[in-house]
Amino acid sequence: MDINTVTTTPLDWCGEGLAIACFAGVTTPLTGDFAALNDRLDGTIAELISEMEFTGKAGSSAVTRVGTHSPVRKIILVGLGEEADYRLNTLRTTAALIARIAKQQKLKTLALQIPPIGTGAQMAQMLTEGLHLALHADHRFKSKPEDQPTLLATVDLLGLGDVGTGVATGEAIAQGVILARELVAAPANAVTAVTLAETAQSLAQEYGLELEILEQADCEALGMGSFLGVAKASDLPPKFIHLTYKPAGTTRRKVAIVGKGLTFDSGGLNLKVAGGIETMKMDMGGAGATLGAAKAIAQLKPDVEVHFISAATENMVSGRAMRPGDILTASNGKTIEVNNTDAEGRLTLADALVFAEKLEVEAIVDLATLTGACVVALGDQIGGLWSTDPDLAVQLKAAAEQAGEQFWEMPLEDQYFEGLKSPIADMKNTGPRAGGSITAALFLKQFVEKTPWAHLDIAGPVWADKESGVNNAGATGYPVRTLVNWVLS
Ligand code: BES
Ligand code: MN
Ligand code: ZN
């Protein structure tokens, strides 16, 4: 699909579908530009509004065919909601709505007429993201695609000026989100630690990134007993992935993004129960978003050095598996009594965080499908955010806001560390059920000494049960857009 920014006005545009976004309260008779367009289309817009009782409510739409002599075949009206609530963010979901209608109507050419907000480049970026993300369909595991293919070949963004850069930015970000979605959606027999490392390798090749893969022996040499304790039960080799983007010119900032990379989480010997285990291919959502962010950032080329890290493996059962009660020693020397092998993500992240801090970065952000408790607290659309650094928390919240992704800041309540105290080791890996996402964050905090750090628990939003906004049912690619915005900010 080609997205173009053109100076054509809706009055002059010829093609199959013309989509017009309107604020709430639109009524007939129409006024201004709208009236002129309505006249040109023989009153079709006014008719559509009154017949369909279209009022411009957010998320609403109305479609009609136009007479055969008209320069456009279909008119699509979409509602933006109240003008006072209009944000750049609205454009992503609006474009997604239009894209879904265009697909259903089998349109090959489409134009979008959207009221101005922000800069033309920002508008083009948001619209591009929304179009690509809504139309993304994953047929990799079907022998024959049953879904109708999208025919849409060209989309003209009207009246934004010459802002191809905005389209290019939106495309890079959408590609990153889509990579994350496809990694998360792929089953655990397709995406393993080995294939994640291969994905990192292809990104490195394609975009000229530096790549270091630490094999099991390398991890042993670094004393990563916590990560390797989890990896032991797998018949596949663990891979510690360290991909680096370095700017060509001067470097303004140096940061690390660390993603939980459990390609499957069976729970280990404190096995998960039925109902909990079936979806655990998505337990590499953090690693998926880390690589997705790398794909976008490598194309957007900010003046920020970014380290993308994931300690990838799977949590399995075997005669070699770590047992409940085993004590592991992490690469910072701290000892952990594993009272629950299903709290494995934090064990892998512990060594990844220690590794990240040694890189002397200015900030570390980890993202992990870490706890069911976070889903209980915030539901499946909002991620949890914990940070030792108020500025970093503010930056991430702003980045998420622009990204149309939601996070809620949670407390790093030090008193709750009491629940992780072990009589025999420095700490246990699991605290009481109550406040489970907070004790998980406190556990991670033991592995970052002084670098500003934030932890994102994304167990809920990495997956969507049904289509909504730019998300299709399935993997969402959350929070690639937040990470990219944060790095670029
Ligand atoms: N991968 C899970 C967390 C999870 C749960 C992600 C539901 C997505 C949906 C994690 O490894 C886990 O098993 N956490 C346990 C921790 C508990 C044993 C302290 C949990 O949340 O139950
Ligand atoms: Mn687990
Ligand atoms: Zn897990």
Side-chain angles (χ1 to χ4, degrees), residues 154-227:
T154 50
V155 180
D156 291 339
L157 307 179
L158 308 183
L160 303 188
D162 182 13
V163 285
T165 52
V167 174
T169 303
E171 253 150 19
I173 294 175
Q175 281 182 24
V177 175
I178 287 170
L179 173 61
R181 283 183 183 177
E182 296 199 340
L183 288 169
V184 173
N189 61 345
V191 166
T192 65
V194 176
T195 67
L196 275 180
E198 286 167 1
T199 303
Q201 176 73 56
S202 8
L203 289 172
Q205 259 159 13
E206 187 169 359
Y207 302 108
L209 306 177
E210 282 176 24
L211 177 66
E212 175 187 29
I213 302 281
L214 305 183
E215 303 295 340
Q216 181 173 331
D218 305 316
C219 297
E220 274 162 13
L222 288 170
M224 294 185 175
S226 188
F227 168 44

Side-chain angles (χ1 to χ4, degrees), residues 7 67 89 96 113 143 228 275 286-287 315 317 336 346 353 409 480 486:
T7 48
N89 253 328
Q113 172 67 19
S143 59
L228 293 174
N315 187 21
V317 284
I336 305 155
R346 61 195 77 178
L353 290 169
E409 190 168 359
V480 169
W486 173 63

Side-chain angles (χ1 to χ4, degrees), residues 371-384 406 457-463 478:
T371 66
C374 196
V375 189
V376 172
L378 299 174
D380 59 9
Q381 296 193 23
I382 306 173
Q406 284 178 278
D457 193 331
I458 54 171
V462 289
W463 196 265
Y478 199 94

